Structures are given as C-alpha cells and as structure tokens.
Amino acid sequence: MSKQSELIAEISGVNPLKCMKCGKCSASCPSFNEMDIKPHQFVSYIQRDDIEALTASKSLYKCLSCFACVERCPRGVKPGKLIDAARQLVLRQRGQEYLSPDEVPALLDEETPQQLLMSAFRKYRR
Amino acid sequence: MQKIGVFVCHCGSNIAATVDVKKVAKMALKEPGVCHAEDYPYMCSEAGQSRIAAAIAEKGLTGIVVCSCSPRMHEATFRKAAERCGLNPYMVEIANLREHCSWIHKDMEEATEKAVILMRAAVAKVHLNTPLQAGESAVTKRALVIGGGIAGIQTAIDIADAGYKVDIVEKTPSIGGRMSQLDKTFPTLDCSACILTPKMVEAAAHENITIHTYSEVEKVSGFVGNFTVDIRKKARMVDMTKCTGCGVCQEKCPSRKTANEFNRGLNTRSAIYTPFAQAIPNVPVIDTESCIKFKTGKCGVCAAVCQAGAIDYKQQDEIITETYGAIVVATGFDTIKLDKYGEYAYGQSKDVITSLELERIMNAAGPTKGHLERLSDGKAPKEIVFIQCVGSRCSDDRGKPYCSKICCMYTAKHAMLIRDKYPDVNVTVFYIDVRTPGKNFDEFYRRAVEDYGVNYVKGQVGKVAPQPDGSLLVQGVDLLDNKQILKKADMVVLATAIEPNPDARKIATMLTASIDTNNFLTEAHPKLRPVESPTAGVFLSGVCQGPKDIPETVAQAGAAAVKVIGLLAKDKLKTNPCTAQADELLCNGCSTCANVCPYGAITYEVRLVNDHGIREERRVASVNSALCQGCGACTVACPSGAMDLQGFSNRQIIAEVDAICR
Ligand SMILES: Cc1cc2nc3c(=O)[nH]c(=O)nc-3n(C[C@H](O)[C@H](O)[C@H](O)COP(=O)(O)OP(=O)(O)OC[C@H]3O[C@@H](n4cnc5c(N)ncnc54)[C@H](O)[C@@H]3O)c2cc1C
Ligand code: SF4
Ligand code: SF4
Ligand code: SF4
Ligand code: SF4
C-alpha cells in the first residue's frame, strides 16, 4: 500500500478489502450519472493503489455526501467516506484554507448534521 | 514411583517441521520417573501403537505420555492401545504438540522449548494419575425428535424403520414445516405437497412413531442414554379422539380476521383452524386469542355444529414426561424480519414481497388461489424484479454474515415458473453472484436464462420507491455495463435471508448443546462429525445446523438417524469416570457448587461425619456420578476446596503448573 492509500485508510477508517463488489453503493448513488469513477470503483482504485486517478476524478466534487452508500453498504465499507478522504488529500496537498474555524459558529444551523457541514465546506470551496 | 514412557509423534511433518522431536524425546529422559522415550513418524498408526505396546511390556511402564495432536483427536486411540497391554487407560496423558504448539508457532527453537514444557507438564501429571474405572449406564431405547419439518420427519422415519420408538414434538398444529408452504421444488420442479404429504402420512401411520403436535419441550434433564423430558401438550380445545376432521367448525366460525400464519399473513383465517388442507393430524385447534367464546364468553358456534362433539373449551395444557436415549434437534428456520431494510419499501408497498410469500401466492391453495397477482390491486403484473441476497452476506448489524445458500436456486425456480405460465411477464433478477453448486443446479439456472429469457443483471438494487400510480421504481446498477438502471416494476420479490428458528437458542440451552453466533446449532466436528452436537446423545438434522435445501436436509436427516440408531443399538454405555467428588471433611455445605453445576448433578445430604475425632451431623455435597459430566465448574467454584475432579484433581493441575513454571 502506498503512503497515500494508507492516509486514505487512516482518514476514512475504512478497510477497502471488506468490499464484496455488490454494487449497492453505485445503485444507491444519486450522482452516479455525473461521476466518471463510480462509487463501487472508488474502492477498487484504492485497492490497487491508483490514487492519482482518484484524486484527479471529478467524482470527488460530484458526491453529494448524502451517505446513502455508507448507510446501505452491506459490508460496512462506507465508500462515501473514502471519497471524503480522497478529497481531503487534495485539500491537504494545496494547503488552502478559505474559512477559519472562528467563523464556523456563526454559520452553524442547529438542525444540520455537522458531518454534512464539514463535507460541504470541503467540496464547495472550489 | 511411576515408570513412565514418553512417545513423541512427528505427525508426518505437522509437528516435526516446527518442533525438534528428537530433542523433546531426549529431554524427556531427564524427567524423574521417565525410563523410556522415543519418537516416531506416526504414533497413531498400527506400527506406532505396537511400539508403545512393546515398551510397556519390556520396561514395565506404569504410565505413558504421548506427545502428539489434540486429545480430542487420538486420546481414545492411545487409551485403547494402553488398555490392550493391561495398562489402565487413565494412566495415559496427551501433550498436545500439534494444535497447541507446531501449528501456531513458526520458530523451531521457540516451538521446541514450548514442546518440552508441555511434555514436562504431562509427565508431572502422570505421576499423580490413578487407575480409574468407567461405570456403565443403561440406554433407553426411544428417541425424541424436536421439530416436525422434513428434517424431523425423515429422521423419525429412518429411526422407526430400524425398529426403535420415536416421538416427534412439533410446535405448530401440524407437521410439515416450511416445505409444506412451498409450491414447487427445485431442481426437478415437482410439487412440494405431492412429495411431502406421503412422508407425513408415513410418519403418522408408522407403528413406532408418536407425533405430538401443538406441543413444546419444556424441560430436559439427564444425559446420553437417559434423558428425561417434559413435553407441554398445549390445549387444542378439540378432542383428538373424537374429531373426524370434517372441517365444518372452521367453515362456520364467525371469527375470521386473524392473520393466517401459514400464508405468511397474506390473508386471514378462522379462530378454529387447521393450518392447511393436508395437515397431520387433521384436527383443528382453537386459537384462544382470537376465539370469541374465549374473549367474551358468547359464541360457541363450533361446539354447536360439531357432529362429533369434539369441541372442549375446558381442555387444559397437559405435561407429559418421557425418557429417551437420544434427542435430535430439527427446529429449522424462518426468514429474517426486514424492518431494517427501509430502502426496499417492504411494509410500505404490498407489492414488495418475500420469496416465501411468493411461494404462497403461486400455490393453488394460497391466498390468490395460485394466480400471480399484485396484492395491492389484484392486477396481473407485467414487470417483476427479483433482488438477491437481501439480508444475507451482510457484515453490518442489519443482516446475516452468511450466504443463505438456497435463494439463488429458488429465485431461478420462481423466475422460470413465472415465465412458463405467464410468458408476457418480464422478469429481471439483480444478483451479486449466482451461487448454484450442486448436481444439475447450474444447468437449472442456465435454463432460466437460455430457455426462459430471464434477464439476469449483475449488480444490486439501491432503492425501491413506490410511485403514486402504484408502480415501483427500482433503482439498481448493472456493474458489467457500469450503468445505473431505473426500472418501473409492478412487483418486487426479495430473496430474504434465512435464520434459525428463534427457539433454537432456548432448545440449545435446555440441552446444553452449543450454538454459534448466528444461532445455528454447532456440530461436534465441522468435517468429521457434522450431525452430532458436542453434547453426547444430542444430534442435528436440517436447517437448524446451517442453511441447506431439501436434498441436503434429507441426507443429513438420514445421517442423524444412523447415529441415533448406533446409540440405541447399545444396551449399555460406558460412563466417564472423570467425575467430581466432594471431600466431606472440607465441605461446608454452602451450596455454591450446586448452583454452578450445569447438569444438576449435585445434591446435599445430612451425613454423620468424623472430623478428627469429632463426630457430628453435617450438610455435605454429594455428586451423582451418572449425571456429572466432569466439566469441573464445581471444583473452581468451591470456596473450601472440597470438590475435586477425578483424573483432573487439584493436585494434578498444580503439579502441571509447577512443571510449566519450573
Ligand atoms: C422461499 C423458499 C423456497 C424454497 N424452495 C426450495 C426448493 O424449491 N427446493 C429445495 O430443495 N428447498 C427449498 N427451500 C428450502 C427448504 O424449505 C428447506 O431446506 C427445508 O424446509 C428445511 O427443513 P427443516 O425440517 O430443516 O426446517 P423447517 O421446514 O423449518 O422445519 C422445522 C420444524 O420445526 C418446528 N419447530 C421449530 N421450533 C420448534 C420447537 N421449539 N419445538 C417444536 N417444534 C419446533 C417448526 O414449526 C417446523 O415445523 C426453500 C426455502 C424457502 C425459504
Ligand atoms: S456497497 Fe459496499 S460492498 Fe457493495 S460494492 Fe459498494 S462498497 Fe463494496
Ligand atoms: S367440526 Fe368437530 S369433527 Fe369436524 S373438524 Fe371440527 S372439531 Fe373436528
Ligand atoms: S367458539 Fe371460537 S372457535 Fe368456535 S366458532 Fe366461536 S369463535 Fe370460532
Ligand atoms: S444463495 Fe444466492 S441469493 Fe442467497 S445469499 Fe447466497 S448468493 Fe445471495
């Protein structure tokens, strides 16, 4: 495993080897048609260490972070978290911060799950 | 001082590749009392055993240690070998150099060091071994089968044919199990009832078989050869000896709104009912929760119409007690609940059904009289989607981690039967893998594709969304095309995972039989003893042991019967002499041991005790050695160290620990 895959595994807490290639994640994904690499393929890309292609993929920004795939995956693989982690790799590479943590409390909405906020920050700043 | 021989086995290369067997033998000679040590490639072989015999004769050995595989494998072999040479079999100890050493270590030096220590511990124990004599117990020549599905029926018939008495205890009002709910059966598509009913009749008519339906096992005590079982015969409210099975009561009963279990709740039944037309016995039961007479005191229609005068509202549950030599568990399975699978809309739409519900819909005696129709509006479906592996192969907490094994085949069956009878209906199957090993099984599935035009799509369904127009929008994926599919369907069938009958855990606890994390009963050995439970005298038949189809179930049922017959054919069984004994001088009568004994082997008696000259009456523990299984729970629980296990005495265990720590 390359350093980058290890990093993805660490950030996401996901073990891609648990995937049984059933495709339920891709069957659940509302952005499937927008993606060049499909949710079930994220897992295979990481399994075979092709992180470059994954981080260059537009899928990272097409994922809605709805976590339907995370919810429904029968093997607890959580492909949505893998995309989340890959996205973070890209962010870390460039080291750009548009929002300082101090500004967050003012933006918080009680009703919104924090997980979703985090994902949205990462995605829509580009 | 004992004269001890040590025999180190290579087990081919299983032990010798990781453990320096010559060194173990050499080190053995340094142990006190060891006057013979040797190594040999296969100690369990004829040649190996004769080397042991020769050493016993030549050196006059009084005890032996065999350093080999697990005692579960060959302890009996070596004990018999010793017995043939006139040595008491309980003077044999096994040092497990395979499972406990060579198989789990890689480094030869370390493994050898551990092997020497294990050998040393066994030698230390033999020094304290004493000859033990096995007792004898009689065998009750009658078997009990719990569960009257095809597994239980077949096991009972096979035992009965061999000339032994068998009782079947079935919880529901009729025997037959799940198979009675099926329409046609793969791989030959014969009608399920046509092949099952004759077996049910055969069991009912057999002079050696007694069937207790609407009954449950309430309590089990005793041990192999001598189980005592309490069976609760639930009150049917119908006199079995008078009822003629005419069925008038069921026709006239005004309470008709109870969900029909046999049809999986797809329609309703009367309060007095037989589950299905071919039920055995063909005697109804009154479901007192639905019966108007029981709820309000008024009604009594069934008693009024019954020409035979069989209705008896005063009937009470009856407990019968019977003794058995062997018990077979055949409690079968159910499909899992789908409430955690909201994405499939089961429960939201009547047109999303399980495969077992489809069996009832296709069956001529089912809720739609065998017409394939939507349960929401009675319309004929044109587009049907099957989803495989629903709740199977799930490592999350929603489903089951195993493959249910039967669904790939029964879905191919369903798809084919539908395409055959309704050629204008399109059938799509979403699958992860098609698993069809078995004689003529893959050919069967290929027929569905090649001859019946069933559309198999490799990929799962993510969501089933009921639409305002009554249709179902299925969102799935075709992984080979890498395309998402949106498909309008009229009906969705879920190949729902199966799980052991929820009663399995209760039954296993009563029998002290092992059960796995999925509630399947555990076999004594997964390869070599697949139909026996680790608990002596308890056998396994059918799906209660693991997912299987009818041919496999019947084969296993026969195998379980053979094991039972083998047991019942014996007049006497040797009992294990390694049982517990209480030292009356140390026992303070606290009852701790009786509370932990899983076999109920310990009682208390007031005895006159002579404690170093003081004579007094004391309440002391007493072990029934026929019931004691030698588990040792009491010996560790006893606060005063009064309990000791013969063959595993506290002194022997401490000697082993000392030898290990030396
Ligand atoms: C939808 C579907 C379709 C299938 N189609 C096929 C097919 O086409 N061909 C094929 O070969 N196989 C098929 N099968 C598999 C088949 O149903 C099983 O292999 C078979 O029924 C197993 O029999 P069994 O006796 O082990 O279990 P069961 O049939 O479940 O019988 C167990 C019996 O034990 C009773 N019981 C449970 N607990 C207790 C208790 N505590 N006390 C007393 N009694 C108790 C139950 O009431 C039941 O009568 C299908 C299964 C399903 C779900
Ligand atoms: S749903 Fe889970 S197991 Fe199935 S393909 Fe996607 S990640 Fe793999
Ligand atoms: S009416 Fe009487 S005889 Fe007929 S089925 Fe009912 S109980 Fe039996
Ligand atoms: S007494 Fe109960 S079972 Fe009998 S007819 Fe009335 S409701 Fe039905
Ligand atoms: S038998 Fe087929 S449908 Fe059933 S769990 Fe196994 S793979 Fe899935």
Side-chain angles (χ1 to χ4, degrees):
Chain A
M1 239 198 331
S2 74
K3 237 194 146 91
Q4 289 216 308
S5 328
E6 270 172 34
L7 211 54
I8 290 186
E10 191 190 316
I11 297 171
S12 61
V14 162
N15 176 5
L17 294 181
K18 285 166 113 187
C19 173
M20 65 168 165
K21 321 260 182 213
C22 69
K24 192 161 177 182
C25 45
S26 285
S28 300
C29 181
S31 294
F32 182 93
N33 291 330
E34 317 284 321
M35 293 181 172
D36 48 357
I37 299 178
K38 312 298 187 189
H40 70 278
Q41 293 177 291
F42 301 154
V43 188
S44 332
Y45 274 70
I46 290 171
Q47 278 177 355
R48 59 167 195 268
D49 243 339
D50 195 353
I51 310 297
E52 213 168 303
L54 196 59
T55 47
S57 160
K58 68 174 184 182
S59 298
L60 298 199
Y61 312 101
K62 295 300 175 188
C63 163
L64 297 175
S65 297
C66 70
F67 289 149
C69 55
V70 172
E71 192 61 32
R72 293 182 195 154
C73 167
R75 308 294 304 179
V77 177
K78 308 186 174 122
K81 297 218 164 162
L82 287 176
I83 313 182
D84 226 19
R87 213 184 281 136
Q88 265 196 47
L89 279 195
V90 178
L91 294 182
R92 285 185 187 182
Q93 264 171 13
R94 308 203 177 153
Q96 294 158 339
E97 301 293 351
Y98 284 94
L99 196 64
S100 90
D102 307 337
E103 295 168 59
V104 176
L107 296 168
L108 265 183
D109 172 357
E110 296 267 291
E111 301 286 305
T112 317
Q114 298 196 0
Q115 183 88 25
L116 190 129
L117 274 180
M118 295 301 293
S119 309
F121 285 148
R122 285 186 204 127
K123 213 162 34 197
Y124 293 116
R125 65 162 202 108
R126 278 173 64 106
Chain B
M1 184 75 151
Q2 307 267 21
K3 290 168 88 177
I4 299 169
V6 176
F7 302 86
V8 188
C9 180
H10 301 196
C11 193
S13 61
N14 273 300
I15 295 173
T18 324
V19 168
D20 181 347
V21 285
K22 297 245 181 281
K23 182 167 178 198
V24 177
K26 208 174 93 200
M27 295 298 283
L29 284 171
K30 298 189 179 165
E31 291 300 305
V34 176
C35 55
H36 177 88
E38 65 174 297
D39 63 283
Y40 190 71
Y42 293 102
M43 273 302 166
C44 59
S45 66
E46 282 273 331
Q49 292 185 43
S50 31
R51 294 178 88 94
I52 297 178
I56 293 175
E58 278 166 31
K59 309 263 169 87
L61 300 178
T62 59
I64 64 173
V65 170
V66 187
C67 301
S68 58
C69 50
S70 161
R72 287 182 68 145
M73 198 72 203
H74 276 313
E75 186 177 62
T77 312
F78 295 121
R79 278 184 173 166
K80 274 192 200 125
E83 198 171 15
R84 280 195 297 271
C85 311
L87 199 62
N88 182 282
Y90 295 89
M91 298 307 291
V92 176
E93 288 298 329
I94 308 287
N96 186 350
L97 296 202
R98 198 177 72 178
E99 284 82 346
H100 284 182
C101 197
S102 65
W103 274 359
I104 50 168
H105 293 293
K106 290 207 170 78
D107 184 274
M108 185 127 186
E109 207 170 303
E110 282 176 356
T112 306
E113 193 186 335
K114 180 171 173 184
V116 169
I117 292 174
L118 292 173
M119 170 275 292
R120 216 192 266 154
V123 170
K125 188 177 176 207
V126 172
H127 272 293
L128 299 173
N129 279 18
T130 46
L132 299 174
Q133 298 305 334
E136 277 186 342
S137 67
V139 178
T140 307
K141 300 202 178 269
R142 189 182 193 98
L144 169 67
V145 175
I146 307 174
I150 180 62
I153 293 172
Q154 186 64 49
T155 300
I157 290 175
D158 289 346
I159 297 171
D161 278 348
Y164 297 101
K165 299 278 181 201
V166 197
D167 294 357
I168 300 178
V169 170
E170 165 59 48
K171 188 166 70 166
T172 68
S174 171
I175 56 170
R178 295 278 162 242
M179 194 176 162
S180 60
Q181 292 174 296
L182 306 181
D183 182 40
K184 304 226 165 28
T185 52
F186 67 74
T188 43
L189 296 183
D190 22 17
C191 126
S192 192
C194 311
I195 54 176
L196 175 65
T197 315
K199 289 239 179 241
M200 292 165 59
V201 172
E202 186 184 345
H206 206 296
E207 56 176 4
N208 286 335
I209 299 181
T210 308
I211 300 175
H212 301 290
T213 51
Y214 213 46
S215 301
E216 277 181 67
V217 170
E218 191 128 307
K219 195 173 139 221
V220 180
S221 60
F223 52 95
V224 54
N226 287 287
F227 293 103
T228 303
V229 179
D230 286 357
I231 299 163
R232 177 179 292 272
K233 299 195 70 158
K234 288 176 280 185
R236 279 185 116 91
M237 309 300 167
V238 177
D239 187 336
M240 299 260 286
T241 58
K242 291 186 185 157
C243 172
T244 60
C246 70
V248 170
C249 51
Q250 307 187 49
E251 253 166 57
K252 299 285 192 249
C253 172
S255 162
R256 318 204 68 90
K257 295 235 172 72
T258 309
N260 183 339
E261 303 87 350
F262 189 74
N263 284 332
R264 303 300 285 180
L266 299 181
N267 66 355
T268 58
R269 60 156 169 81
S270 45
I272 186 165
Y273 72 104
T274 42
F276 53 103
Q278 302 89 339
I280 286 186
N282 184 19
V283 175
V285 300
I286 294 182
D287 165 4
T288 52
E289 308 231 312
S290 321
C291 169
I292 304 168
K293 172 96 178 160
F294 277 88
K295 285 198 296 195
T296 67
K298 299 193 192 78
C299 185
V301 168
C302 52
V305 297
C306 177
Q307 297 281 314
I311 309 286
D312 175 6
Y313 301 118
K314 298 226 161 59
Q315 226 179 52
Q316 296 290 323
D317 287 8
E318 189 191 342
I319 307 266
I320 56 173
T321 304
E322 191 66 69
T323 54
Y324 300 100
I327 299 179
V328 182
V329 188
T331 45
F333 71 103
D334 203 344
T335 52
I336 65 164
K337 291 212 168 57
L338 291 173
D339 42 355
K340 289 188 186 145
Y341 287 90
E343 67 260 40
Y344 295 130
Y346 180 80
Q348 286 174 51
S349 166
K350 282 186 156 182
D351 302 321
V352 180
I353 57 172
T354 68
S355 302
L356 194 51
E357 288 164 10
L358 182 67
E359 292 280 350
R360 294 315 302 149
I361 290 173
M362 312 253 283
N363 191 282
T368 60
K369 310 243 171 328
H371 297 294
L372 183 63
E373 58 189 49
R374 283 158 48 99
L375 293 172
S376 59
D377 53 14
K379 285 196 188 131
K382 287 277 163 281
E383 196 72 54
I384 303 184
V385 166
F386 284 83
I387 307 176
Q388 297 303 93
C389 302
V390 174
S392 298
R393 309 169 67 186
C394 287
S395 57
D396 57 14
D397 58 359
R398 299 201 294 168
K400 302 291 173 185
Y402 48 85
C403 165
S404 293
K405 198 171 179 183
I406 50 177
C407 10
C408 279
M409 278 299 282
Y410 71 54
T411 294
K413 167 184 82 172
H414 292 155
M416 236 184 296
L417 289 172
I418 291 172
R419 292 280 301 159
D420 187 48
K421 207 164 158 194
Y422 310 94
D424 58 330
V425 176
N426 288 321
V427 176
T428 306
V429 179
F430 282 91
Y431 70 94
I432 308 175
D433 305 286
V434 177
R435 295 183 164 170
T436 48
K439 192 169 161 185
N440 296 326
F441 280 18
D442 206 63
E443 295 91 322
F444 182 84
Y445 146 62
R446 290 309 306 169
R447 250 192 3 252
V449 178
E450 293 167 26
D451 298 350
Y452 290 86
V454 178
N455 178 24
Y456 271 78
V457 179
K458 181 168 174 64
Q460 264 294 9
V461 166
K463 186 163 74 174
V464 176
Q467 301 297 301
D469 68 355
S471 67
L472 299 159
L473 192 62
V474 177
Q475 181 181 314
V477 69
D478 183 334
L479 288 176
L480 297 180
D481 255 356
N482 214 7
K483 284 211 175 80
Q484 212 175 52
I485 298 175
L486 273 182
K487 195 174 195 64
K488 245 186 164 187
D490 305 309
M491 208 173 195
V492 169
V493 184
L494 309 176
T496 310
I498 61 172
E499 64 180 352
N501 190 298
D503 281 4
R505 186 157 281 276
K506 194 177 77 189
I507 298 277
T509 308
M510 270 193 254
L511 296 170
T512 63
S514 324
I515 199 162
D516 68 16
T517 47
N518 297 314
N519 284 350
F520 287 113
L521 278 112
T522 314
E523 53 281 13
H525 188 287
K527 283 156 274 180
L528 301 178
R529 295 172 67 193
V531 299
E532 293 157 82
S533 147
T535 302
V538 176
F539 303 89
L540 312 174
S541 179
V543 179
C544 68
Q545 178 262 338
K548 46 181 78 67
D549 56 22
I550 298 164
E552 258 189 278
T553 297
V554 171
Q556 197 199 22
V562 168
K563 294 287 167 190
V564 170
I565 294 164
L567 170 61
L568 298 189
K570 295 192 176 111
D571 290 323
K572 297 249 184 270
L573 291 178
K574 279 226 160 100
T575 57
N576 174 14
C578 297
T579 53
Q581 272 182 349
D583 181 333
E584 59 180 17
L585 293 184
L586 293 178
C587 174
N588 61 23
C590 68
S591 294
T592 308
C593 54
N595 291 337
V596 298
C597 176
Y599 304 96
I602 304 174
T603 50
Y604 291 86
E605 57 191 36
V606 176
R607 219 184 280 155
L608 191 66
V609 174
N610 184 348
D611 191 350
H612 302 90
I614 304 164
R615 290 168 65 89
E616 60 182 5
E617 284 204 331
R618 284 189 195 165
R619 177 177 185 268
V620 291
S622 152
V623 178
N624 179 343
S625 59
L627 294 179
C628 173
Q629 298 294 304
C631 73
C634 55
T635 64
V636 279
C638 175
S640 39
M643 271 293 176
D644 222 354
L645 201 58
Q646 301 194 76
F648 295 90
S649 69
N650 296 336
R651 277 184 66 218
Q652 284 172 306
I653 307 278
I654 297 294
E656 285 184 281
V657 175
D658 281 346
I660 290 169
C661 301
R662 200 156 76 207

